[in-house]
Amino acid sequence: MSFAIRDATVADHGSFARLFPELRVADPLPTPEQFAERMLPKVLILEERGDAMGYVHWRRYGPTAHVVHVVVDPRARGKGAGRALLDEVRARASADGCTRWSLNVKQDNAQAIRLYERAGMAIEQEGWALDITWAQLATLPSEPGDAALFVPSPADAAELAATLGVELERVAQLLANPGAVVLRALREGDASVAFGAFDPAFPGVHPLRVARVGFA
């Protein structure tokens, strides 16, 4: 296939909504307003003869480009569409000053992992996604010890990032957007030991970083 890649616009929400279910996640579909305000302009549309056959959404956190979504229509899979989207993101992110990139992928998605490895990526760390109700959450064991809950401020960004392994720019962006997320952290002595961001529009806690499992 011969593909063309262009910047998405607000008018592309219909194509985005059609392709979004291919992610196979439980996340709610972003509304047109959320698409425009929280995803654009970092969305690219891949077309074949004017028909949207895929999209990619990425964000920049300082020197890191984080690829949030890579979605390809089943009709275009195995024909280079995914690689074309990734190559375009890499070119744009590099031109924007990024020196590394990252993404999350399900461990059982062998086809996607092969694609990402061919694009030059390698597995850096393993993580887990947990789907749980509020009632179930209340039954989990907790071992906070002397750790104290606090609401972080922009002044805490550097310490949270360095201690818990979150990009400084990502923490700073979350702290600068209190209307979209609820942020909480734990401090034990003089050190931050846990950090979580809850987005009501997601809805979910991400990122979540803890120094010990009992802090989760």
Side-chain angles (χ1 to χ4, degrees):
M1 285 186 177
S2 178
F3 299 115
I5 297 176
R6 62 172 176 80
D7 292 302
T9 69
V10 175
D12 289 306
H13 183 266
S15 296
F16 162 74
R18 174 175 59 82
L19 292 164
F20 181 83
E22 296 299 329
L23 286 171
R24 300 289 190 266
V25 296
D27 302 354
L29 172 70
T31 65
E33 293 75 21
Q34 291 168 340
F35 178 70
E37 295 172 4
R38 305 180 64 177
M39 297 180 66
L40 297 181
K42 291 291 193 293
V43 179
L44 303 174
I45 299 291
L46 179 139
E47 294 181 327
E48 198 271 325
R49 290 194 292 271
D51 188 14
M53 301 295 286
Y55 78 89
V56 62
H57 168 45
W58 62 288
R59 297 172 181 164
R60 179 182 176 180
Y61 301 120
T64 300
H66 180 67
V67 183
V68 185
H69 297 168
V70 183
V71 180
V72 173
D73 189 293
R75 296 171 293 169
R77 290 177 187 164
K79 300 177 181 178
R83 181 60 184 268
L85 285 167
L86 287 174
D87 286 347
E88 185 67 17
V89 167
R90 177 164 50 188
R92 294 192 181 212
S94 296
D96 203 25
C98 293
T99 56
R100 67 187 303 271
W101 61 346
S102 67
L103 54 74
N104 299 325
V105 59
K106 295 177 181 177
Q107 296 182 14
D108 61 354
N109 194 343
Q111 183 177 9
I113 292 173
R114 286 194 297 270
L115 167 65
Y116 303 145
E117 289 177 339
R118 287 196 297 268
M121 291 183 164
I123 295 175
E124 183 175 78
Q125 63 182 9
E126 293 185 346
W128 294 266
L130 179 65
D131 186 4
I132 191 169
T133 66
W134 292 119
Q136 291 171 320
L137 186 64
T139 67
L140 295 179
S142 177
E143 302 174 20
D146 295 328
L149 184 71
F150 72 100
V151 180
S153 71
D156 299 306
E159 197 263 338
L160 286 167
T163 304
L164 298 171
V166 187
E167 298 95 339
L168 173 59
E169 294 78 10
R170 186 173 195 175
V171 176
Q173 287 181 27
L174 289 167
L175 291 171
N177 194 17
V181 294
V182 178
L183 297 148
R184 293 293 185 271
L186 287 175
R187 181 175 284 131
E188 190 174 50
D190 295 329
S192 296
V193 292
F195 172 80
F198 176 78
D199 187 342
F202 176 50
V205 179
H206 185 75
L208 173 65
R209 297 288 190 274
V210 295
R212 296 200 303 270
V213 174
F215 291 141

